[in-house]
Amino acid sequence: MLSVIIPSYNEEKIIKKTAETITSILRDNNIEYEIIFVNDGSSDGTWTVIEQLSYDNPDIKGVCFSRNFGKESAIFAGLAECIGDACVVIDCDLQHPPEKIPEMYKLWKDGYEIVEGVKSYRGEEKITHSLAANRFYKIMSKETGTDMSDSSDYKLLDRKVINTLLNMPEKNTFFRALSSWVGFKKTSVRYDVAKREGGESKWSRMSLIKYALSNITSFTTRPMYIILYCGIAVLIMGIVLSIIALVQKFTGNSIGGFTTVIILLCFTSSVIMLSIGVIGYYIAKIYEEVKGRPRYIISSKTEVNNRYKSESTTEKRD
Ligand code: UDP
Ligand code: MG
């Protein structure tokens, strides 16, 4: 059985169409499936639509978070809930073309354990955005040891990979990179990013910057080393400047200007503050992990609701 995991946040406009498109594709290809919608604390009617969909089609399940926990958590909740032999993670807005699912499924049947959806066309994006994304993926590619420049969250994972991901204790995760990092037999399928079918993107520039920072720090401790190098550079500069100052003093040329002092002061203090900031960021991350809070909190599930509903109807009949 194939589980299709769909993180959904304020997607009431599109969710029904998404469900219909995906079910018809899977049915046409005779793929046994379940669809799991994870409602990530939407403030609109997303959950009501999901409940309705799952009531009409028992192969559609819904998980509802108690608040917005972010896409990563929604994906992991889907992984934990799914019972398929493989799963496909796909966006709710049909930007990841569902027509590719049968192709991924076939590759999985051929023995591949991870089938990555790779963007061949990134869709319409601002130039600053693609530049920043490029830089970010360069760093991540280096850390995971795989080329991530066109990677996305659209991918098929075998049960083995799902269990491996679920057994990882860390909470601050970056699904895209983690599923590259785990290894396994891998292949890819190219796709063009479609236009959003309805609703709007949930990412503001600030949230993307935060997301990038969080993912870089959860994968690499390189920024900490950069601090070390900065420290060494400043130390060398300090030694050189001190020697110059001492020579000037002994040759009687000591200058009255404070320029050097000021530059040095500003420079060192900024480096120190920056360094403390980076270290603080990592400590905050360690703190988050040590607290061991759950990745997400589920407030309700459709299966349970449906069971209640059918129980109450039988009661009425009695
Ligand atoms: N999403 C989510 N939680 C969030 C933000 C987004 O579950 O806090 C889901 C959203 O419903 C969609 C997917 O993640 O299915 C991708 O979001 P979006 O389309 O806004 O991102 P973009 O395509 O602009 O990168
Ligand atoms: Mg989108």
Side-chain angles (χ1 to χ4, degrees), residues 8-209:
S8 324
Y9 177 52
N10 293 344
E11 305 279 10
E12 65 174 349
K13 287 194 193 120
I14 176 95
I15 207 159
K16 195 154 184 276
K17 188 174 174 203
T18 308
E20 280 163 6
T21 317
I22 294 177
T23 35
S24 72
I25 289 173
L26 294 172
R27 278 188 189 145
D28 290 348
N29 286 279
N30 289 326
I31 299 175
E32 197 195 341
Y33 71 94
E34 62 165 357
I35 295 181
I36 301 176
F37 280 105
V38 184
N39 173 33
D40 186 11
S42 306
S43 51
D44 64 358
T46 305
W47 181 238
T48 327
V49 185
I50 295 175
E51 278 186 312
Q52 190 55 50
L53 286 170
S54 98
Y55 202 63
D56 297 340
N57 178 357
D59 293 329
I60 297 182
K61 292 169 193 163
V63 176
C64 184
F65 281 0
S66 59
R67 64 169 173 87
N68 180 252
F69 279 93
K71 189 180 174 185
E72 296 289 312
S73 301
I75 293 175
F76 273 90
L79 294 180
E81 293 297 320
C82 75
I83 53 165
D85 305 307
C87 78
V88 167
V89 178
I90 186 168
D91 274 6
C92 190
D93 51 9
L94 294 176
Q95 281 193 296
H96 296 158
E99 305 81 56
K100 291 279 170 187
I101 296 178
E103 198 180 326
M104 291 173 141
Y105 184 76
K106 203 179 157 293
L107 285 165
W108 172 66
K109 283 269 174 201
D110 291 345
Y112 288 101
E113 287 153 330
I114 298 181
V115 186
E116 308 253 2
V118 176
K119 298 174 195 165
S120 43
Y121 168 62
R122 294 185 61 98
E124 283 163 27
E125 261 177 5
K126 282 204 184 108
I127 179 99
T128 45
H129 184 109
S130 14
L131 280 178
N134 254 338
R135 190 68 236 138
F136 171 68
Y137 284 117
K138 280 236 169 78
I139 298 175
M140 294 311 286
S141 303
K142 216 170 162 194
E143 291 311 318
T144 54
T146 41
D147 180 21
M148 294 204 42
S149 50
D150 292 310
S151 74
S152 70
D153 287 335
Y154 187 21
K155 48 185 96 206
L156 181 144
L157 308 176
D158 183 73
R159 174 52 55 190
K160 263 190 253 169
V161 185
I162 302 175
N163 290 344
T164 311
L165 289 177
L166 290 175
N167 282 332
M168 290 193 174
E170 57 188 291
K171 303 280 177 330
N172 272 308
T173 45
F174 183 34
F175 173 68
R176 213 171 287 189
L178 211 55
S179 48
S180 293
W181 181 86
V182 289
F184 290 102
K185 204 169 164 217
K186 212 174 289 178
T187 185
S188 60
V189 161
R190 298 197 83 83
Y191 73 91
D192 289 336
V193 178
K195 254 204 156 108
R196 212 173 208 288
E197 286 276 339
E200 53 198 35
S201 175
K202 312 294 178 300
W203 301 95
S204 65
R205 183 154 303 150
M206 203 53 213
S207 65
L208 275 175
I209 293 174

Side-chain angles (χ1 to χ4, degrees), residues 145-279:
T146 41
D147 180 21
M148 294 204 42
S149 50
D150 292 310
S151 74
S152 70
D153 287 335
Y154 187 21
K155 48 185 96 206
L156 181 144
L157 308 176
D158 183 73
R159 174 52 55 190
K160 263 190 253 169
V161 185
I162 302 175
N163 290 344
T164 311
L165 289 177
L166 290 175
N167 282 332
M168 290 193 174
E170 57 188 291
K171 303 280 177 330
N172 272 308
T173 45
F174 183 34
F175 173 68
R176 213 171 287 189
L178 211 55
S179 48
S180 293
W181 181 86
V182 289
F184 290 102
K185 204 169 164 217
K186 212 174 289 178
T187 185
S188 60
V189 161
R190 298 197 83 83
Y191 73 91
D192 289 336
V193 178
K195 254 204 156 108
R196 212 173 208 288
E197 286 276 339
E200 53 198 35
S201 175
K202 312 294 178 300
W203 301 95
S204 65
R205 183 154 303 150
M206 203 53 213
S207 65
L208 275 175
I209 293 174
K210 274 193 197 154
Y211 186 63
L213 271 182
S214 162
N215 291 327
I216 290 173
T217 49
S218 66
F219 249 88
T220 167
T221 44
R222 206 164 299 256
M224 292 237 227
Y225 295 114
I226 295 174
I227 294 176
L228 195 70
Y229 300 141
C230 280
I232 294 169
V234 173
L235 184 73
I236 294 170
M237 244 171 64
I239 294 171
V240 173
L241 280 173
S242 314
I243 293 170
I244 294 172
L246 282 173
V247 169
Q248 280 173 341
K249 190 169 167 54
F250 288 121
T251 50
N253 291 332
S254 66
I255 27 155
F258 284 102
T259 338
T260 334
V261 180
I262 291 168
I263 293 173
L264 212 71
L265 210 68
C266 290
F267 195 65
T268 40
S269 53
S270 61
V271 169
I272 289 171
M273 268 154 79
L274 203 91
S275 319
I276 294 175
V278 178
I279 293 170

